[in-house]
Amino acid sequence: MDVRSLRYALTLAEELHFGRAARAHYIAAQPFGRRIQELERELGVKLFERTSRRVALTPAGERFLPRARRVLAEMDELMRTAEGDHAEPVLRVGVLGFGLADRWAATRTLLATHHPELELSYRELDWTTQYDAVRAGEVDVAVLHDVGGADDLLVEPVMNTARCAVVPAESELADAGHLSAADIAHVPRVKLVGQPGLVDWGGAPTRRDVEVRSPAHVATAVATTGRIGFHGEPATRFFPHPGVRYLPLEGPDPVVAIASRRNDRRDTVAAFRAATVASPAADSLAAAQAEDAVES
């Protein structure tokens, strides 16, 4: 049982409508419904009665959810208490896919120089969890693919990367130097599952859905099914796969961003944000110093 599923169930109990409850958490109704079903399976009871016209609490739901609300309130209070304690400066960083890509080394160097006491911990994210992990307090900051729908969070763009199509190595498209929207208009593609904004970036799927929830699995899904997928340019280095080819594709660039809770003003969060913004300059300085060393 996880905190996010409990929050979903409480919202559904308030809204008694799957669509409205899912929108309150900025996710699609289908993955929202799956999380409710998983929670019910784990508990071994039904919390909600569903019909085509209405959603209602079961007797078990009426007993369970008020207690869950009290537990979550206590957890929120515990989190606020912990956030005020800087004795052990550990920053929980959620990362989607390749995250900061080539900037990781420079970011860590800056943090180690200016905040040597700060320790980073890692949490893997996917498109369905990237925003909610921040909302639920499971991570302090997230490096994610900003596809909109997170106005309740502080989301700061860090970099744009070129958009790529991921095509099977044996595809007739594999030898193209560049692809347009027309080139792939009728080619079956994988479905990127997460926030609704992913459709605007990755395009609507065709035929039966082949669902992918993480950037790390796009290439494998393409190689397995023969469909095409979408990625940011750093995937050519961070997610190589012998069964696919990455080709430049016209369309909106992926936006890598840093997200945190709006009311989180801890120095550690500010330090991480500052380091990610400053890391391109650190990269340039390191490259210049390397060139000077070679010339001398």
Side-chain angles (χ1 to χ4, degrees):
M1 187 186 308
D2 59 45
V3 172
R4 188 182 305 112
S5 295
L6 291 178
R7 294 192 192 280
Y8 286 0
L10 289 174
T11 302
L12 183 57
E14 294 169 358
E15 296 288 347
L16 295 179
H17 187 281
F18 275 86
R20 288 196 299 269
R23 286 193 294 274
H25 290 275
Y26 299 93
I27 66 171
Q30 187 177 10
F32 180 90
R34 280 197 297 265
R35 294 299 291 267
I36 297 296
Q37 290 174 347
E38 290 169 2
L39 176 62
E40 290 178 323
R41 282 196 296 270
E42 189 169 0
L43 293 171
V45 296
K46 290 186 65 174
L47 301 176
F48 300 93
E49 290 289 352
R50 306 137 167 102
T51 69
S52 59
R53 295 185 177 182
R54 64 190 293 268
V55 177
L57 282 170
T58 65
E62 291 177 348
R63 292 191 300 270
F64 176 79
L65 291 171
R67 296 182 181 181
R69 182 175 288 106
R70 291 196 295 271
V71 168
L72 287 177
E74 291 175 358
M75 290 181 65
D76 289 341
E77 181 60 31
L78 183 63
M79 186 182 303
R80 284 190 290 270
T81 301
E83 288 173 350
D85 182 4
H86 297 277
E88 297 182 359
V90 176
L91 191 71
R92 299 167 300 164
V93 182
V95 182
L96 177 79
F98 52 71
L100 294 173
D102 304 294
R103 297 188 184 185
W104 279 118
T107 298
R108 290 197 314 273
T109 298
L110 284 168
L111 283 170
T113 300
H114 299 287
H115 301 275
E117 77 290 349
L118 180 59
E119 177 184 345
L120 301 182
S121 68
Y122 168 82
R123 163 75 185 272
E124 182 181 5
L125 303 178
D126 60 35
W127 277 304
T128 67
T129 63
Q130 59 172 8
Y131 293 137
D132 265 0
V134 183
R135 293 186 179 107
E138 296 171 9
V139 299
D140 301 306
V141 293
V143 184
L144 47 74
H145 178 185
D146 186 19
V147 291
D151 294 339
D152 59 320
L153 300 177
L154 181 58
V155 181
E156 181 180 9
V158 175
M159 63 181 182
N160 286 26
T161 70
R163 188 177 186 229
C164 289
V166 189
V167 305
E170 74 279 5
S171 167
E172 61 183 17
L173 298 174
D175 294 327
H178 183 277
L179 295 177
S180 68
D183 293 329
I184 63 170
H186 302 292
V187 181
R189 62 194 65 177
V190 300
K191 178 181 180 181
L192 308 181
V193 178
Q195 285 72 30
L198 275 174
V199 173
D200 298 331
W201 178 76
T206 55
R207 301 183 186 177
R208 296 182 185 176
D209 291 345
V210 174
E211 297 184 347
V212 180
R213 292 171 172 77
S214 170
H217 301 144
V218 171
T220 301
V222 170
T224 301
T225 65
R227 298 177 179 228
I228 67 168
F230 302 89
H231 229 308
E233 182 277 331
T236 62
R237 302 183 299 283
F238 289 88
F239 299 122
H241 192 295
V244 306
R245 300 290 182 268
Y246 290 92
L247 302 174
L249 175 66
E250 68 178 23
D253 292 340
V255 178
V256 177
I258 305 297
S260 61
R261 298 186 297 280
R262 285 191 174 275
N263 62 350
D264 193 339
R265 298 179 176 85
R266 286 175 295 165
D267 292 341
T268 52
V269 173
F272 186 83
R273 284 182 169 277
T276 59
V277 172
S279 60
D283 279 335
S284 300
L285 178 60
Q289 290 172 339
E291 290 178 3
D292 290 343
V294 170
E295 292 175 358
S296 61

